[in-house]
Amino acid sequence: MKFLVTGVAGFIGFHVARKLCDMGYEVVGLDNLNDYYDVNLKLARLKELSNSAEASKGLFRFVKLDLADREGIAALFEKEQFNRVIHLAAQAGVRYSIDNPMAYSDSNLVGHLTILEGCRHNKVEHLIYASSSSVYGLNNKTPFSTADSVDHPISLYAATKKANELMSHTYSHLYGIPTTGLRFFTVYGPWGRPDMALFKFTDAIVKGKKIDVYNNGDMSRDFTYIDDIVEGIIKVQDKVPVFDESWKVELNSPAKSSAPYRIFNIGNGNPVKLMEFINSLERSLGMKVNKNFMPMQAGDVYQTYAEVEDLFSVTGHKAKVNVEHGVSKFVEWYSEFYNLTK
C-alpha cells in the first residue's frame, strides 16, 4: 500500500511517515520546507527519515512541493496513484494567524482543495486530514465533543480548519471520497515545533531567560504525546468511513454523515494545568524558571479537553503517556539534539 504524507518535514508528519515505513508501507512525503520556523529542524527530520533502514529499502521518498501548486499536486497524484493520503501540511499557529492572516489562504484553503481534487480524480480509498481542537472556539462545555456545534471559532486558523471539515464533507457527499478529520489536542514530544509552548519554554530555560506565561498561568490543555497521536492516526487510517443512508442531520451527530465522512477528537482526555506542565519541565531539566505572567492572548482559550470515546469505540485507541513521562522524553531529545549536558 502506498501513502502520501503531506507536511512530512513537520512534527507530526515526520513521526507518522517513520511509523508507516517501520510497518513496511511505501511512503511519499511532501513538504514545501517553508521558513515559518527553523528550516534546519525540518531538514534534520528529513535526514533522520532518509537515513533509516526502511528508507534504504526504497520505502520513503521526499518530494518538495507546495500544496498551492495545483498542477504540481495533480501531476503527483496521477503519477503515484496513492492508496491512502494522510494530509498533515498546513500553516499552523493560532497566534501567528492573528498577525499574518494571508499566510493561511494558500496552505489551509487552496492546499486542502488541491488534496481533495487529487483524491477525487485518482480513486484514493481514504483521506485522513488534520483538523484542530481550536475549532471549538467559544464552546465552554467540557469535555469538547464532536457532537457539539463548532460554529464560533475565535482565530482565523481555527476557521480554516473548520472550513477543511466542510470542504471534506462536500467531497465525501458529491464524489464518495471517504474522509476522516482528526481534531488534534496540543501535541508535544521529541522533534516538536519550536513555536509550541514546551519547546519555547525549554529553549528559554536553558538559556537563562524568563518564560511568558499567558493568562497568569490560569489555563489548562489536553496535552497529547506524539506517540499516542501517531498510534491513533495509524488505527484511524484503517477504518474507512462508509455511506450510511440512515443518518439524518436532525437526529444524529455532525461528526458523521450519510456520506463516508467522520470527525474524531484525538487527545489525551485528561487536561493538565499549565503550571503543572511547567513544573514537570522544571523537574526534567533540573532547573527553576523565572516566569513573566501575561494576560490572555487574542485567539487563545482557557481550556481544552477532548472527549475521546468515539475514537475509542471505533479504533480501540486510548492515549497512554502522561505529562511527566512525555516531558522528560522531550527534554531527553532536546538535550541530545542541541548537544546539551544536564
Side-chain angles (χ1 to χ4, degrees):
M1 188 151 55
K2 184 190 289 188
F3 285 82
L4 171 65
V5 177
T6 72
V8 74
F11 175 33
I12 302 175
F14 158 73
H15 283 278
V16 169
R18 186 166 63 176
K19 180 65 175 179
L20 288 169
C21 288
D22 287 344
M23 296 171 69
Y25 294 123
E26 183 179 357
V27 176
V28 175
L30 180 149
D31 207 290
N32 68 355
L33 297 177
N34 69 36
D35 61 358
Y36 168 63
Y37 62 79
D38 185 10
V39 175
N40 290 322
L41 177 58
K42 298 180 181 183
L43 293 173
R45 293 184 187 125
L46 287 178
K47 183 178 180 181
E48 184 85 1
L49 271 173
S50 299
N51 289 344
S52 69
E54 292 73 23
S56 68
K57 300 172 188 173
L59 292 179
F60 176 74
R61 286 178 289 125
F62 173 64
V63 175
K64 184 179 179 182
L65 187 62
D66 196 291
L67 289 173
D69 182 345
R70 302 178 190 183
E71 291 77 15
I73 295 293
L76 180 69
F77 270 85
E78 184 176 3
K79 174 187 175 185
E80 298 289 351
Q81 293 298 304
F82 303 110
N83 300 103
R84 295 178 184 175
V85 174
I86 300 179
H87 175 38
L88 302 170
Q91 176 57 60
V94 168
R95 291 167 186 161
Y96 188 75
S97 72
I98 303 296
D99 299 321
N100 301 276
M102 297 306 294
Y104 290 74
S105 175
D106 286 347
S107 292
N108 298 15
L109 299 176
V110 174
H112 193 73
L113 185 56
T114 63
I115 294 296
L116 286 168
E117 280 288 284
C119 293
R120 170 193 174 190
H121 292 293
N122 295 277
K123 297 182 172 58
V124 169
E125 66 185 48
H126 193 187
L127 167 63
I128 303 94
Y129 62 94
S131 185
S132 168
S133 62
S134 65
V135 301
Y136 288 103
L138 290 177
N139 291 20
N140 288 318
K141 180 182 75 67
T142 55
F144 296 152
S145 168
T146 54
D148 296 338
S149 166
V150 287
D151 292 331
H152 299 89
I154 58 173
S155 71
L156 181 65
Y157 171 72
T160 64
K161 288 301 183 179
K162 169 66 173 174
N164 290 168
E165 295 179 3
L166 296 173
M167 294 160 73
S168 299
H169 182 268
T170 301
Y171 272 65
S172 293
H173 173 75
L174 289 174
Y175 309 115
I177 302 167
T179 67
T180 300
L182 297 174
R183 294 174 179 169
F184 293 119
F185 280 72
T186 315
V187 188
Y188 74 102
W191 295 96
R193 277 176 25 209
D195 63 319
M196 296 292 284
L198 179 57
F199 205 121
K200 290 168 69 174
F201 288 167
T202 304
D203 198 53
I205 292 169
V206 299
K207 293 175 180 175
K209 299 178 180 178
K210 287 186 176 182
I211 64 172
D212 291 336
V213 181
Y214 292 99
N215 202 41
N216 298 307
D218 187 19
M219 303 168 74
S220 60
R221 291 289 181 267
D222 201 342
F223 294 103
T224 313
Y225 189 64
I226 184 61
D227 289 0
D228 286 327
I229 290 288
V230 171
E231 180 185 328
I233 292 171
I234 297 300
K235 288 183 175 179
V236 162
Q237 61 83 25
D238 241 356
K239 301 295 183 181
V240 183
V242 297
F243 285 97
D244 180 5
E245 295 301 330
S246 68
W247 183 91
K248 304 295 181 188
V249 170
E250 300 82 6
L251 301 175
N252 300 107
S253 168
K256 302 178 183 178
S257 176
S258 55
Y261 166 90
R262 288 299 303 261
I263 298 290
F264 292 109
N265 287 334
I266 182 164
N268 196 288
N270 182 32
V272 173
K273 293 287 187 182
L274 180 57
M275 294 309 298
E276 292 178 24
F277 190 72
I278 293 170
N279 291 339
S280 293
L281 178 57
E282 289 178 326
R283 287 191 291 271
S284 292
L285 286 168
M287 303 169 69
K288 300 299 285 184
V289 59
N290 292 318
K291 304 170 186 71
N292 183 31
F293 290 102
M294 308 274 285
M296 183 81 93
Q297 280 206 327
D300 269 356
V301 296
Y302 169 71
Q303 176 178 242
T304 64
Y305 180 3
E307 195 284 312
V308 292
E309 290 308 310
D310 283 353
L311 182 63
F312 179 76
S313 67
V314 172
T315 68
H317 171 69
K318 197 170 186 66
K320 303 180 183 70
V321 180
N322 63 36
V323 160
E324 195 75 22
H325 178 72
V327 168
S328 70
K329 295 300 288 184
F330 172 81
V331 168
E332 182 181 312
W333 167 81
Y334 181 96
S335 299
E336 181 179 349
F337 187 78
Y338 290 104
N339 296 315
L340 302 179
T341 55
K342 290 179 63 174

